[in-house]
């Protein structure tokens, strides 16, 4: 296994949306770093050996006004940048970010949250963003959607609409406190009909188990909390384990090698989809 190393950077904790199923709990009061802290953190991250991909998310990452600067700095250091946004900012703001990331932009992901926006408005904007990205052949575009219990039919309709428009649709099962939500018998039957063809974590995030398997978390993958704390992966942070230090305090260090997964359910799509978890 020699996959490209990846960081999931939750660069701000706050969000302008209030989705009821939010796993970040909107992280009220956890803003982005101030300029001085951001500079210290970027110094640490730009110096990571090799070419890393930084997946910038939040909360809502566009709440950090310097988000385009972050992309420019990371790409100038030889790294790549991806993004996960709720797509609520205006198209010109998105265009500025895309231009700042330039050839270093990889995956542009956006999440559809029907509690805060309509499917039609979101689809129109998503199609416009995909058009912007068409000038960047190394980038890709994905629409994420949390499939809530009792709303499987609606999610199936959304999948049809977005795929008909030529947009990749990535459904995720809802999680509560790190575990999949409780889907009843009828929901499970509907899930199978609507998404049964989406096999494995690359097709749909169902919360798989890799307990005991060798994983590159902490070594060639880690997550960054808005306060700058680094952990091997999201369950590690939840359990307060596999702490890697703080980028703003410049105490961060990577592990020397892979670990044996100690967690019953893996919500982290990156290690699973990038060949970082041994079969
Ligand atoms: S857009 Fe994302 S971060 Fe914001 S409230 Fe919704 S789920 Fe949470
Ligand atoms: S939970 Fe996922 S990312 Fe974390 S160690 Fe296990 S397999 Fe790796």
């Amino acid at each position: 296994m020699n996959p490209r190393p990846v960081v999931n950077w939750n660069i701000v904790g706050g969000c302008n949306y209030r989705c009821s199923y939010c796993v970040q709990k909107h992280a009220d009061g956890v803003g982005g770093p101030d300029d001085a802290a951001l500079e210290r953190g970027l110094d640490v991250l730009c110096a990571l050996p090799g070419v890393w991909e930084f997946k910038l998310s939040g909360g809502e990452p566009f709440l950090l006004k310097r988000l385009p600067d972050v992309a420019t700095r990371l790409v100038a250091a030889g790294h790549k940048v991806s993004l996960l946004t709720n797509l609520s900012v205006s198209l010109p703001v998105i265009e500025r970010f895309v231009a700042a990331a330039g050839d270093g932009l990889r995956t542009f992901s956006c999440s559809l949250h029907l509690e805060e926006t309509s499917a039609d408005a979101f689809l129109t904007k998503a199609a416009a963003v995909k058009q912007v990205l068409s000038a960047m052949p190394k980038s890709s575009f994905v629409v994420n959607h949390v499939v809530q219990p009792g709303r499987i039919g609606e999610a199936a309709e959304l999948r049809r609409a977005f795929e008909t428009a030529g947009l990749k649709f990535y459904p995720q099962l809802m999680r509560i406190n790190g575990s999949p939500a409780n889907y009843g018998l009828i929901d499970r039957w509907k899930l199978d009909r609507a998404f049964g063809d989406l096999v494995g974590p690359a097709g749909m995030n169902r919360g798989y188990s890799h307990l005991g398997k060798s994983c590159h978390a902490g070594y060639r993958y880690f997550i960054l909390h808005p306060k700058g704390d680094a952990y091997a992966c999201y369950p590690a942070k939840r359990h307060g384990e596999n702490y890697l230090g703080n980028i703003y305090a410049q105490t961060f260090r990577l592990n020397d090698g892979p670990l044996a997964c100690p967690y019953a359910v893996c919500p982290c799509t990156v290690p699973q989809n990038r060949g970082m978890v041994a079969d």
Side-chain angles (χ1 to χ4, degrees):
M1 286 194 293
N2 194 23
R4 168 173 290 160
V6 179
V7 185
N8 270 113
W9 189 358
N10 295 91
I11 199 163
V12 288
C15 186
N16 54 327
Y17 282 3
R18 288 292 179 269
C19 308
S20 60
Y21 45 79
C22 180
V23 294
Q24 306 283 348
K25 307 289 185 223
H26 326 300
D28 273 342
V30 185
D34 62 26
D35 284 353
L38 187 58
E39 289 304 320
R40 291 194 300 276
L42 283 170
D43 285 346
V44 170
L45 298 173
C46 287
L48 282 170
V51 179
W52 287 68
E53 179 178 342
F54 288 82
K55 298 177 89 68
L56 306 172
S57 67
E60 169 48 45
F62 277 110
L63 291 185
L64 184 75
K65 297 300 173 219
R66 291 189 59 197
L67 193 66
D69 296 344
V70 171
T72 300
R73 278 281 303 275
L74 292 171
V75 171
H79 299 308
K80 310 298 176 194
V81 170
S82 292
L83 183 74
L84 173 60
T85 170
N86 62 26
L87 212 62
S88 57
V89 292
S90 67
L91 196 58
V93 172
I94 292 170
E95 286 173 327
R96 275 200 292 282
F97 174 82
V98 170
D103 280 348
L105 183 63
R106 289 300 177 264
T107 307
F108 190 114
S109 304
C110 51
S111 296
L112 168 59
H113 299 294
L114 291 176
E115 294 177 1
E116 297 281 358
T117 187
S118 76
D120 286 349
F122 189 93
L123 195 152
T124 300
K125 195 182 234 179
V129 173
K130 187 163 186 205
Q131 183 61 33
V132 170
L133 295 176
S134 63
M136 324 198 80
K138 290 182 182 165
S139 69
S140 59
F141 184 75
V142 183
V143 173
N144 297 330
H145 179 63
V146 175
V147 182
Q148 294 174 264
R151 301 181 71 165
I152 317 298
E154 175 187 62
E157 285 296 323
L158 290 169
R159 179 187 178 189
R160 265 190 290 280
F162 281 85
E163 289 184 348
T164 300
L167 302 171
K168 180 174 167 58
F169 188 79
Y170 185 72
Q172 297 172 258
L173 292 190
M174 191 171 135
R175 281 182 289 123
I176 299 173
N177 296 327
S179 299
N182 192 17
Y183 291 84
L185 196 61
I186 294 175
D187 271 354
R188 292 204 299 276
W189 177 76
K190 288 183 178 175
L191 278 169
D192 195 43
R193 275 179 52 121
F195 304 114
D197 61 315
L198 302 177
V199 178
M204 182 173 186
N205 187 356
R206 297 174 190 263
Y208 297 89
S209 178
H210 301 293
L211 190 64
K213 295 181 184 174
S214 175
C215 175
H216 283 201
Y219 170 51
R220 295 177 68 81
Y221 170 76
F222 62 92
I223 65 124
L224 278 172
H225 180 266
K227 288 183 175 171
D229 291 315
Y231 291 87
C233 65
Y234 285 109
K237 177 182 173 296
R238 173 174 297 280
H239 291 271
E241 300 167 351
N242 287 302
Y243 179 61
L244 305 173
N246 186 290
I247 57 164
Y248 301 138
Q250 299 192 322
T251 57
F252 169 81
R253 63 178 289 279
L254 287 168
N255 289 339
D256 294 332
L259 50 73
C261 174
Y263 306 111
V265 177
C266 178
C268 307
T269 53
V270 168
Q272 300 177 85
N273 288 338
R274 304 289 182 94
M276 295 188 189
V277 184
D279 289 332

